[in-house]
Amino acid sequence: MVAGTRDAALRPAHVCVVGAMVDDDHRTVTFFIPESRAARLLSDLRDNGRVAFGFGLASHEAYQLKGTFLASRPMTAADTALQEAYRRRLFAAFRKVYPEEMARPYALGVAYTPGVAVSFRVDEVYLQTPGPGAGTRMA
C-alpha cells in the first residue's frame, strides 16, 4: 500500500503504508505511516487536503482511492496490533502465490513505531488492475 500527496508546486510525495482500516461509514479510511516519513505528507495534506491511496492484492488486483484529508494522530497500541495482523495476512497471501523465499521479506520487520494514523474521506475509487480497465473510475 502507498499513500501519495502533492505540494503547491505539484511536486509529488509518497510513503509506504503498513495497515489500514475502513470505518463503519464505509467512506472513511485510516492508514498507518512511520512518523519518520510523515512530515512532508502531513504538510501537503494540511495545505491542500488531497490524498491518493493505492493498494493491491497478491493476485495483482489493484485499486486507488482518492479523497480528502480528515485528521491525523499518533498511532495507538491497537493500531500497532492491527499492523501486525495485516503483516501476517499479507505473508499468508503471498505464500500462496510465491515461493517462501520470495514471500519471507513480508513477514519480517515490525510495525511502524512510532507511527502516525492518517484518516481521509474517500471521494473516488479507480480500478488499477493491469489490463484494459486500468484507470477506470468505479461507481
Side-chain angles (χ1 to χ4, degrees), residues 31-53:
F31 60 84
F32 309 107
I33 59 175
E35 186 178 89
S36 63
R37 298 282 320 266
R40 167 72 193 279
L41 189 95
L42 292 174
S43 175
D44 290 350
L45 291 172
R46 284 188 294 270
D47 178 58
N48 63 58
R50 301 300 298 157
V51 63
F53 177 76

PDB file of all heavy atoms in Angstrom, residues 31-53:
ATOM      1  N   PHE A  31      -5.033   4.987   7.492  1.00  0.00           N
ATOM      2  CA  PHE A  31      -3.844   4.201   7.182  1.00  0.00           C
ATOM      3  C   PHE A  31      -2.704   4.629   8.093  1.00  0.00           C
ATOM      4  O   PHE A  31      -2.753   5.682   8.721  1.00  0.00           O
ATOM      5  CB  PHE A  31      -3.458   4.306   5.700  1.00  0.00           C
ATOM      6  CG  PHE A  31      -3.151   5.690   5.212  1.00  0.00           C
ATOM      7  CD1 PHE A  31      -1.888   6.249   5.383  1.00  0.00           C
ATOM      8  CD2 PHE A  31      -4.109   6.443   4.541  1.00  0.00           C
ATOM      9  CE1 PHE A  31      -1.588   7.514   4.917  1.00  0.00           C
ATOM     10  CE2 PHE A  31      -3.831   7.707   4.065  1.00  0.00           C
ATOM     11  CZ  PHE A  31      -2.563   8.250   4.256  1.00  0.00           C
ATOM     12  N   PHE A  32      -1.669   3.791   8.151  1.00  0.00           N
ATOM     13  CA  PHE A  32      -0.576   3.984   9.099  1.00  0.00           C
ATOM     14  C   PHE A  32       0.754   4.148   8.379  1.00  0.00           C
ATOM     15  O   PHE A  32       1.105   3.358   7.505  1.00  0.00           O
ATOM     16  CB  PHE A  32      -0.503   2.789  10.050  1.00  0.00           C
ATOM     17  CG  PHE A  32      -1.840   2.490  10.677  1.00  0.00           C
ATOM     18  CD1 PHE A  32      -2.570   1.387  10.291  1.00  0.00           C
ATOM     19  CD2 PHE A  32      -2.380   3.352  11.612  1.00  0.00           C
ATOM     20  CE1 PHE A  32      -3.806   1.116  10.845  1.00  0.00           C
ATOM     21  CE2 PHE A  32      -3.627   3.097  12.171  1.00  0.00           C
ATOM     22  CZ  PHE A  32      -4.335   1.978  11.785  1.00  0.00           C
ATOM     23  N   ILE A  33       1.482   5.205   8.769  1.00  0.00           N
ATOM     24  CA  ILE A  33       2.777   5.509   8.172  1.00  0.00           C
ATOM     25  C   ILE A  33       3.793   5.749   9.282  1.00  0.00           C
ATOM     26  O   ILE A  33       3.425   6.108  10.402  1.00  0.00           O
ATOM     27  CB  ILE A  33       2.699   6.730   7.229  1.00  0.00           C
ATOM     28  CG1 ILE A  33       2.213   7.984   7.972  1.00  0.00           C
ATOM     29  CG2 ILE A  33       1.799   6.416   6.034  1.00  0.00           C
ATOM     30  CD1 ILE A  33       2.218   9.256   7.129  1.00  0.00           C
ATOM     31  N   PRO A  34       5.086   5.573   8.984  1.00  0.00           N
ATOM     32  CA  PRO A  34       6.094   5.841  10.011  1.00  0.00           C
ATOM     33  C   PRO A  34       6.194   7.337  10.301  1.00  0.00           C
ATOM     34  O   PRO A  34       6.137   8.159   9.382  1.00  0.00           O
ATOM     35  CB  PRO A  34       7.388   5.307   9.402  1.00  0.00           C
ATOM     36  CG  PRO A  34       7.150   5.258   7.939  1.00  0.00           C
ATOM     37  CD  PRO A  34       5.671   5.089   7.731  1.00  0.00           C
ATOM     38  N   GLU A  35       6.330   7.666  11.550  1.00  0.00           N
ATOM     39  CA  GLU A  35       6.482   9.072  11.945  1.00  0.00           C
ATOM     40  C   GLU A  35       7.666   9.722  11.226  1.00  0.00           C
ATOM     41  O   GLU A  35       7.604  10.882  10.823  1.00  0.00           O
ATOM     42  CB  GLU A  35       6.670   9.153  13.459  1.00  0.00           C
ATOM     43  CG  GLU A  35       6.689  10.545  14.015  1.00  0.00           C
ATOM     44  CD  GLU A  35       6.837  10.517  15.523  1.00  0.00           C
ATOM     45  OE1 GLU A  35       7.990  10.506  16.006  1.00  0.00           O
ATOM     46  OE2 GLU A  35       5.793  10.490  16.199  1.00  0.00           O
ATOM     47  N   SER A  36       8.726   8.950  11.018  1.00  0.00           N
ATOM     48  CA  SER A  36       9.927   9.489  10.375  1.00  0.00           C
ATOM     49  C   SER A  36       9.697   9.919   8.926  1.00  0.00           C
ATOM     50  O   SER A  36      10.480  10.677   8.372  1.00  0.00           O
ATOM     51  CB  SER A  36      11.061   8.460  10.431  1.00  0.00           C
ATOM     52  OG  SER A  36      10.697   7.303   9.693  1.00  0.00           O
ATOM     53  N   ARG A  37       8.627   9.444   8.292  1.00  0.00           N
ATOM     54  CA  ARG A  37       8.318   9.794   6.902  1.00  0.00           C
ATOM     55  C   ARG A  37       7.056  10.637   6.769  1.00  0.00           C
ATOM     56  O   ARG A  37       6.579  10.876   5.672  1.00  0.00           O
ATOM     57  CB  ARG A  37       8.130   8.524   6.062  1.00  0.00           C
ATOM     58  CG  ARG A  37       9.311   7.609   5.931  1.00  0.00           C
ATOM     59  CD  ARG A  37      10.348   8.093   4.923  1.00  0.00           C
ATOM     60  NE  ARG A  37       9.802   8.670   3.723  1.00  0.00           N
ATOM     61  CZ  ARG A  37       9.562   8.036   2.582  1.00  0.00           C
ATOM     62  NH1 ARG A  37       9.833   6.771   2.478  1.00  0.00           N
ATOM     63  NH2 ARG A  37       9.062   8.669   1.540  1.00  0.00           N
ATOM     64  N   ALA A  38       6.490  11.092   7.888  1.00  0.00           N
ATOM     65  CA  ALA A  38       5.179  11.722   7.871  1.00  0.00           C
ATOM     66  C   ALA A  38       5.193  13.225   7.595  1.00  0.00           C
ATOM     67  O   ALA A  38       4.188  13.768   7.140  1.00  0.00           O
ATOM     68  CB  ALA A  38       4.463  11.458   9.189  1.00  0.00           C
ATOM     69  N   ALA A  39       6.284  13.924   7.855  1.00  0.00           N
ATOM     70  CA  ALA A  39       6.283  15.393   7.819  1.00  0.00           C
ATOM     71  C   ALA A  39       5.819  15.950   6.475  1.00  0.00           C
ATOM     72  O   ALA A  39       4.928  16.803   6.420  1.00  0.00           O
ATOM     73  CB  ALA A  39       7.659  15.938   8.177  1.00  0.00           C
ATOM     74  N   ARG A  40       6.398  15.504   5.380  1.00  0.00           N
ATOM     75  CA  ARG A  40       6.035  16.040   4.060  1.00  0.00           C
ATOM     76  C   ARG A  40       4.590  15.706   3.713  1.00  0.00           C
ATOM     77  O   ARG A  40       3.829  16.562   3.249  1.00  0.00           O
ATOM     78  CB  ARG A  40       7.006  15.503   3.005  1.00  0.00           C
ATOM     79  CG  ARG A  40       6.597  15.712   1.571  1.00  0.00           C
ATOM     80  CD  ARG A  40       6.694  17.178   1.108  1.00  0.00           C
ATOM     81  NE  ARG A  40       6.015  17.362  -0.151  1.00  0.00           N
ATOM     82  CZ  ARG A  40       6.512  17.068  -1.342  1.00  0.00           C
ATOM     83  NH1 ARG A  40       7.744  16.604  -1.449  1.00  0.00           N
ATOM     84  NH2 ARG A  40       5.810  17.250  -2.430  1.00  0.00           N
ATOM     85  N   LEU A  41       4.199  14.469   3.943  1.00  0.00           N
ATOM     86  CA  LEU A  41       2.839  14.047   3.637  1.00  0.00           C
ATOM     87  C   LEU A  41       1.827  14.886   4.418  1.00  0.00           C
ATOM     88  O   LEU A  41       0.862  15.414   3.850  1.00  0.00           O
ATOM     89  CB  LEU A  41       2.665  12.562   3.955  1.00  0.00           C
ATOM     90  CG  LEU A  41       1.363  11.957   3.481  1.00  0.00           C
ATOM     91  CD1 LEU A  41       1.560  11.308   2.125  1.00  0.00           C
ATOM     92  CD2 LEU A  41       0.864  10.936   4.477  1.00  0.00           C
ATOM     93  N   LEU A  42       2.056  15.052   5.708  1.00  0.00           N
ATOM     94  CA  LEU A  42       1.126  15.823   6.541  1.00  0.00           C
ATOM     95  C   LEU A  42       1.113  17.300   6.145  1.00  0.00           C
ATOM     96  O   LEU A  42       0.057  17.929   6.151  1.00  0.00           O
ATOM     97  CB  LEU A  42       1.470  15.651   8.014  1.00  0.00           C
ATOM     98  CG  LEU A  42       1.225  14.240   8.566  1.00  0.00           C
ATOM     99  CD1 LEU A  42       1.727  14.137   9.987  1.00  0.00           C
ATOM    100  CD2 LEU A  42      -0.236  13.838   8.454  1.00  0.00           C
ATOM    101  N   SER A  43       2.259  17.836   5.774  1.00  0.00           N
ATOM    102  CA  SER A  43       2.319  19.223   5.313  1.00  0.00           C
ATOM    103  C   SER A  43       1.459  19.407   4.062  1.00  0.00           C
ATOM    104  O   SER A  43       0.676  20.351   3.960  1.00  0.00           O
ATOM    105  CB  SER A  43       3.765  19.630   5.034  1.00  0.00           C
ATOM    106  OG  SER A  43       3.818  20.918   4.482  1.00  0.00           O
ATOM    107  N   ASP A  44       1.609  18.489   3.106  1.00  0.00           N
ATOM    108  CA  ASP A  44       0.808  18.552   1.882  1.00  0.00           C
ATOM    109  C   ASP A  44      -0.682  18.430   2.199  1.00  0.00           C
ATOM    110  O   ASP A  44      -1.509  19.150   1.638  1.00  0.00           O
ATOM    111  CB  ASP A  44       1.202  17.441   0.913  1.00  0.00           C
ATOM    112  CG  ASP A  44       2.570  17.635   0.289  1.00  0.00           C
ATOM    113  OD1 ASP A  44       3.166  18.716   0.453  1.00  0.00           O
ATOM    114  OD2 ASP A  44       3.039  16.678  -0.368  1.00  0.00           O
ATOM    115  N   LEU A  45      -1.024  17.514   3.101  1.00  0.00           N
ATOM    116  CA  LEU A  45      -2.433  17.303   3.442  1.00  0.00           C
ATOM    117  C   LEU A  45      -3.033  18.532   4.117  1.00  0.00           C
ATOM    118  O   LEU A  45      -4.174  18.898   3.841  1.00  0.00           O
ATOM    119  CB  LEU A  45      -2.589  16.067   4.326  1.00  0.00           C
ATOM    120  CG  LEU A  45      -2.311  14.739   3.620  1.00  0.00           C
ATOM    121  CD1 LEU A  45      -2.306  13.594   4.623  1.00  0.00           C
ATOM    122  CD2 LEU A  45      -3.312  14.492   2.504  1.00  0.00           C
ATOM    123  N   ARG A  46      -2.269  19.177   4.993  1.00  0.00           N
ATOM    124  CA  ARG A  46      -2.768  20.400   5.640  1.00  0.00           C
ATOM    125  C   ARG A  46      -2.914  21.530   4.617  1.00  0.00           C
ATOM    126  O   ARG A  46      -3.805  22.360   4.725  1.00  0.00           O
ATOM    127  CB  ARG A  46      -1.846  20.813   6.785  1.00  0.00           C
ATOM    128  CG  ARG A  46      -2.026  19.953   8.029  1.00  0.00           C
ATOM    129  CD  ARG A  46      -1.258  20.498   9.212  1.00  0.00           C
ATOM    130  NE  ARG A  46       0.176  20.440   9.028  1.00  0.00           N
ATOM    131  CZ  ARG A  46       0.959  19.419   9.366  1.00  0.00           C
ATOM    132  NH1 ARG A  46       0.443  18.355   9.933  1.00  0.00           N
ATOM    133  NH2 ARG A  46       2.253  19.464   9.162  1.00  0.00           N
ATOM    134  N   ASP A  47      -2.039  21.531   3.602  1.00  0.00           N
ATOM    135  CA  ASP A  47      -2.060  22.584   2.588  1.00  0.00           C
ATOM    136  C   ASP A  47      -3.234  22.440   1.619  1.00  0.00           C
ATOM    137  O   ASP A  47      -3.931  23.407   1.340  1.00  0.00           O
ATOM    138  CB  ASP A  47      -0.744  22.590   1.809  1.00  0.00           C
ATOM    139  CG  ASP A  47      -0.730  23.637   0.720  1.00  0.00           C
ATOM    140  OD1 ASP A  47      -0.917  24.830   1.043  1.00  0.00           O
ATOM    141  OD2 ASP A  47      -0.544  23.267  -0.450  1.00  0.00           O
ATOM    142  N   ASN A  48      -3.434  21.216   1.074  1.00  0.00           N
ATOM    143  CA  ASN A  48      -4.468  21.076   0.041  1.00  0.00           C
ATOM    144  C   ASN A  48      -5.489  19.980   0.315  1.00  0.00           C
ATOM    145  O   ASN A  48      -6.477  19.888  -0.398  1.00  0.00           O
ATOM    146  CB  ASN A  48      -3.827  20.875  -1.345  1.00  0.00           C
ATOM    147  CG  ASN A  48      -3.023  19.598  -1.418  1.00  0.00           C
ATOM    148  OD1 ASN A  48      -3.532  18.518  -1.185  1.00  0.00           O
ATOM    149  ND2 ASN A  48      -1.747  19.728  -1.755  1.00  0.00           N
ATOM    150  N   GLY A  49      -5.234  19.141   1.296  1.00  0.00           N
ATOM    151  CA  GLY A  49      -6.216  18.149   1.705  1.00  0.00           C
ATOM    152  C   GLY A  49      -6.427  16.970   0.784  1.00  0.00           C
ATOM    153  O   GLY A  49      -7.281  16.121   1.037  1.00  0.00           O
ATOM    154  N   ARG A  50      -5.650  16.841  -0.279  1.00  0.00           N
ATOM    155  CA  ARG A  50      -5.858  15.760  -1.248  1.00  0.00           C
ATOM    156  C   ARG A  50      -4.888  14.612  -1.023  1.00  0.00           C
ATOM    157  O   ARG A  50      -3.704  14.827  -0.795  1.00  0.00           O
ATOM    158  CB  ARG A  50      -5.710  16.283  -2.679  1.00  0.00           C
ATOM    159  CG  ARG A  50      -6.675  17.402  -3.031  1.00  0.00           C
ATOM    160  CD  ARG A  50      -8.148  16.998  -2.922  1.00  0.00           C
ATOM    161  NE  ARG A  50      -8.425  15.919  -3.858  1.00  0.00           N
ATOM    162  CZ  ARG A  50      -9.440  15.065  -3.723  1.00  0.00           C
ATOM    163  NH1 ARG A  50     -10.264  15.138  -2.717  1.00  0.00           N
ATOM    164  NH2 ARG A  50      -9.621  14.122  -4.614  1.00  0.00           N
ATOM    165  N   VAL A  51      -5.412  13.379  -1.092  1.00  0.00           N
ATOM    166  CA  VAL A  51      -4.596  12.191  -0.913  1.00  0.00           C
ATOM    167  C   VAL A  51      -5.026  11.121  -1.908  1.00  0.00           C
ATOM    168  O   VAL A  51      -6.202  11.032  -2.268  1.00  0.00           O
ATOM    169  CB  VAL A  51      -4.697  11.654   0.548  1.00  0.00           C
ATOM    170  CG1 VAL A  51      -6.112  11.223   0.883  1.00  0.00           C
ATOM    171  CG2 VAL A  51      -3.705  10.527   0.796  1.00  0.00           C
ATOM    172  N   ALA A  52      -4.051  10.349  -2.361  1.00  0.00           N
ATOM    173  CA  ALA A  52      -4.301   9.164  -3.177  1.00  0.00           C
ATOM    174  C   ALA A  52      -3.742   7.975  -2.394  1.00  0.00           C
ATOM    175  O   ALA A  52      -2.636   8.048  -1.854  1.00  0.00           O
ATOM    176  CB  ALA A  52      -3.621   9.276  -4.532  1.00  0.00           C
ATOM    177  N   PHE A  53      -4.514   6.918  -2.336  1.00  0.00           N
ATOM    178  CA  PHE A  53      -4.140   5.726  -1.563  1.00  0.00           C
ATOM    179  C   PHE A  53      -4.267   4.524  -2.476  1.00  0.00           C
ATOM    180  O   PHE A  53      -5.364   4.215  -2.959  1.00  0.00           O
ATOM    181  CB  PHE A  53      -5.070   5.610  -0.349  1.00  0.00           C
ATOM    182  CG  PHE A  53      -4.846   4.393   0.486  1.00  0.00           C
ATOM    183  CD1 PHE A  53      -3.757   4.315   1.338  1.00  0.00           C
ATOM    184  CD2 PHE A  53      -5.742   3.337   0.449  1.00  0.00           C
ATOM    185  CE1 PHE A  53      -3.561   3.199   2.125  1.00  0.00           C
ATOM    186  CE2 PHE A  53      -5.551   2.211   1.239  1.00  0.00           C
ATOM    187  CZ  PHE A  53      -4.462   2.145   2.077  1.00  0.00           C
TER     188      PHE A  53
END
